[in-house]
Amino acid sequence: MTNTWFITGTSRGLGLELVRQLLERGDTVTATTRSPERLLTGLGDTDTSRLQALAVDLADEGQVKRAVEAAGDLDVVVNNAGYGFLAAVEEVSDAEARQMFDVQVFGVWNVLRAALPSFRARRTGHIVNVSSILGLTAFPGWGLYCAGKYALEGLTESLAAEVADFGIRVTLVEPGYMRTDFLRTQSLGLPGSTVDAYPAVRDMTAAHLAMPGTQLGDPAKAAAAIITVADGGKAPLHQLLGSDSYGLAQARIAALTDDVEAGRALAVTTDVG
């Protein structure tokens, strides 16, 4: 069975690999990107006759709506666009924060508003929002990126409950580190100015910039996993990808449980009566 897909963030990494695998199995794909030329170059000899590659600014609601309309009746929407950002919270400018949320949150919201009416009318469809393990836990220096992914997680959990009765499936995909360009300077934002008080963040930045090629995650296998999620129909709301992601999630659950229990005695004192 073939499907019609709408995918954002497709010129590199996971998005590019997902488009490639879908086209190779005969699916129809509308792919948005800042650079259709880079997407087509990345696909190489892959048959692109079932591909519609569109340059779309996800922060522009009108552009997004027109792209979704051009895609026709969709089966699966994958919100994959995003980029990393390494800086201490104090170092993030207002413009840098707003740009991140334009992509990670408001861009997703634009896609959802455009796609959901058709899904509801046909009582079918699957939305896959690509989050991160950093949507479930947090590290120093990743505050802006985590803020965007935490917002995406909350949005998606609410959405899943709202649309379940319409037959619409919703999945959060939470990868760990993958061998993509995500930690290279073309995909990793850095602050316009830094503060000398955060040497540990500088060390973390240097370590991450040296990481490409050593990550555990295989983007081809991750793309195949997303296709499995879309085809199978029984994926959990939170689908972790990567043994590192799974381990970090388990550690976060344990730490959160400890923290909740540590505050229990005071928490129960604030009830009325």
Side-chain angles (χ1 to χ4, degrees):
M1 182 180 67
T2 60
N3 287 317
T4 300
W5 296 63
F6 184 92
I7 308 171
T8 70
T10 57
S11 61
R12 292 192 178 101
L14 177 60
L16 174 61
E17 187 59 42
L18 182 57
V19 172
R20 186 198 318 279
Q21 292 186 26
L22 291 171
L23 293 176
E24 287 175 351
R25 76 172 199 163
D27 285 19
T28 299
V29 180
T30 295
T32 78
T33 171
R34 290 175 296 176
S35 175
E37 296 79 11
R38 188 166 60 231
L39 167 60
L40 294 172
T41 299
L43 289 170
D45 295 332
T46 303
D47 180 0
T48 58
S49 60
R50 299 177 72 88
L51 171 68
Q52 182 175 209
L54 302 177
V56 175
D57 177 359
L58 295 175
D60 186 319
E61 186 172 11
Q63 286 189 32
V64 171
K65 184 177 181 180
R66 289 189 292 273
V68 171
E69 289 173 348
D73 287 340
L74 294 168
D75 298 300
V76 187
V77 168
V78 181
N79 286 299
N80 174 66
Y83 61 96
F85 198 95
L86 262 170
V89 169
E90 183 182 346
E91 297 170 331
V92 177
S93 70
D94 180 79
E96 289 163 343
R98 291 177 185 278
Q99 183 177 4
M100 175 65 75
F101 272 69
D102 272 347
V103 175
Q104 307 250 85
V105 182
F106 304 128
V108 171
W109 229 312
N110 285 338
V111 172
L112 294 175
R113 277 192 294 263
L116 282 170
S118 175
F119 278 3
R120 281 192 294 101
R122 292 183 291 121
R123 303 189 73 82
T124 188
H126 194 164
I127 294 164
V128 179
N129 287 342
V130 180
S131 179
S132 166
I133 185 56
L134 292 183
L136 293 175
T137 190
F139 296 141
W142 287 96
L144 176 56
Y145 183 74
C146 288
K149 291 304 187 184
Y150 269 62
L152 179 62
E153 297 261 337
L155 161 64
T156 306
E157 290 199 23
S158 292
L159 173 68
E162 291 167 1
V163 301
D165 289 343
F166 299 113
I168 301 170
R169 294 183 289 137
V170 178
T171 305
L172 274 161
V173 171
E174 294 147 339
Y177 289 107
M178 286 190 292
R179 293 191 187 183
T180 67
D181 287 339
F182 182 75
L183 294 177
R184 300 185 191 277
T185 52
Q186 61 262 40
S187 298
L188 182 66
L190 298 173
S193 61
T194 60
V195 178
D196 291 341
Y198 300 104
V201 174
R202 303 287 82 75
D203 291 342
M204 176 176 279
T205 300
H208 278 80
L209 289 173
M211 191 181 291
T214 67
Q215 302 98 317
L216 285 174
D218 182 335
K221 291 180 179 179
I226 291 175
I227 295 171
T228 297
V229 164
D231 286 348
K234 293 185 179 180
L237 175 58
H238 294 268
Q239 179 59 64
L240 299 163
L241 295 182
S243 58
D244 54 348
S245 181
Y246 182 82
L248 288 167
Q250 289 290 339
R252 174 58 175 162
I253 291 167
L256 182 58
T257 299
D258 289 345
D259 203 34
V260 168
E261 291 305 314
R264 179 180 180 277
L266 183 60
V268 300
T269 67
T270 62
D271 294 349
V272 174

